[in-house]
Amino acid sequence: MNLSAFNFGGLFNPVLAWESLPFVLGGLPVTMLIAIVSMGMGLILGLFLALARGSNRIILRWPARIYISFMRGTPILVFLFILYFGLPVVGIKFTAIVAACLGFGLNSAAYIAEIDRSSINSIDRGQWESAKALNMSYLKTLRKIILPQATRIAIPPLTNVFMDIVKATSLAAVITVPEMFQKAQLVTGREFDAMTLYILVALIYWPVCIVISFFQDRLEVRYSRFLSRSNRP
């Protein structure tokens, strides 16, 4: 197929896009590494924040509220700059990839905490009381009864958070992380065709998010079957 025969009004050069595709895709593993590590960090920290946020103890509740408010109220790009360019001033240095993972992980934890909190609160309070009547501990009730049901509710919004992280990794280009957008910028600087490269990157992110949505659907089905089996007498 002669790609040069296609004319898109100068907005998109298919020949340049095809030739640049392998180089740009070389940044996809870094993109996914940052997204997966950040999401894992966010899930762990987010759960603890959600439990602290719903605690009756002020010493736990207010620090969690302040953390969530700060992270949701500040731009992630500013936070990345603080981690990568600001902290070295006080002697704390991170590599670009580590700074990106920390930045996205700590930021996403605030959003995940609110998702977890609302999912846990959506479970009927009577289940807590029934478990208490059976002398089940708080942690055992949470692990055996509440979290499995809350997870099913939280899957769609948590998937949205993960997709947001995947797309937001493009911001890591500003701290020299060699992900897809940064590689596209390198080609842009050489070829002087920003529009083609930016469209190419968009066309790569799109199927990645489609695949994530597919796994979301499969995970929802699996959890629904799991809960159905668990609820059988």
Side-chain angles (χ1 to χ4, degrees):
M1 180 183 294
N2 185 9
L3 295 176
S4 61
F6 293 91
N7 187 347
F8 296 93
L11 292 177
F12 185 75
N13 183 342
V15 175
L16 176 59
W18 180 254
E19 292 176 348
S20 305
L21 183 61
F23 180 73
V24 175
L25 280 176
L28 182 58
V30 177
T31 293
M32 296 310 299
L33 172 66
I34 294 173
I36 293 171
V37 172
S38 300
M39 188 65 183
M41 185 188 307
L43 286 172
I44 296 171
L45 180 57
L47 179 58
F48 283 107
L49 286 170
L51 297 176
R53 172 81 165 75
S55 173
N56 293 325
R57 299 182 181 180
I58 295 178
I59 195 172
L60 295 176
R61 186 171 70 251
W62 278 102
R65 289 174 66 102
I66 292 171
Y67 180 93
I68 292 170
S69 176
F70 175 77
M71 286 299 177
R72 294 176 69 188
T74 54
I76 181 61
L77 185 60
V78 174
F79 197 49
L80 289 176
F81 270 69
I82 291 174
L83 289 171
Y84 190 67
F85 297 113
L87 290 184
V89 175
V90 294
I92 302 175
K93 297 181 179 180
F94 297 114
T95 65
I97 292 179
V98 171
C101 290
L102 284 174
F104 292 116
L106 294 174
N107 183 265
S108 65
Y111 297 91
I112 292 173
E114 290 297 274
I115 293 171
D116 288 347
R117 185 175 66 88
S118 62
S119 299
I120 291 172
N121 288 343
S122 68
I123 306 303
D124 189 272
R125 191 67 191 173
Q127 299 197 37
W128 288 97
E129 296 170 357
S130 299
K132 186 176 181 180
L134 294 172
N135 292 322
M136 292 180 67
S137 66
Y138 172 82
L139 290 179
K140 189 174 182 179
T141 302
L142 193 67
R143 182 169 58 89
K144 293 284 189 178
I145 299 175
I146 305 301
L147 284 184
Q149 299 177 76
T151 299
R152 169 63 183 83
I153 298 170
I155 286 174
L158 287 178
T159 303
N160 288 337
V161 170
F162 183 54
M163 285 196 288
D164 286 341
I165 293 174
V166 170
K167 292 179 289 185
T169 55
S170 59
L171 295 174
V174 300
I175 59 171
T176 71
V177 173
E179 46 74 58
M180 288 193 296
F181 190 66
Q182 200 258 3
K183 287 183 173 293
Q185 287 182 313
L186 292 177
V187 179
T188 298
R190 184 181 70 241
E191 301 292 340
F192 302 102
D193 189 349
M195 186 61 73
T196 294
L197 272 300
Y198 295 161
I199 292 175
L200 174 63
V201 171
L203 292 175
I204 295 174
Y205 276 112
W206 185 19
V208 169
C209 289
I210 290 175
V211 171
I212 294 172
S213 296
F214 170 78
F215 281 107
Q216 171 194 333
D217 295 337
R218 299 295 298 173
L219 198 57
E220 287 187 58
V221 171
R222 178 178 291 272
Y223 254 91
S224 295
R225 291 174 179 171
F226 168 76
L227 291 177
S228 297
R229 290 196 299 267
S230 299
N231 293 330
R232 290 175 184 170

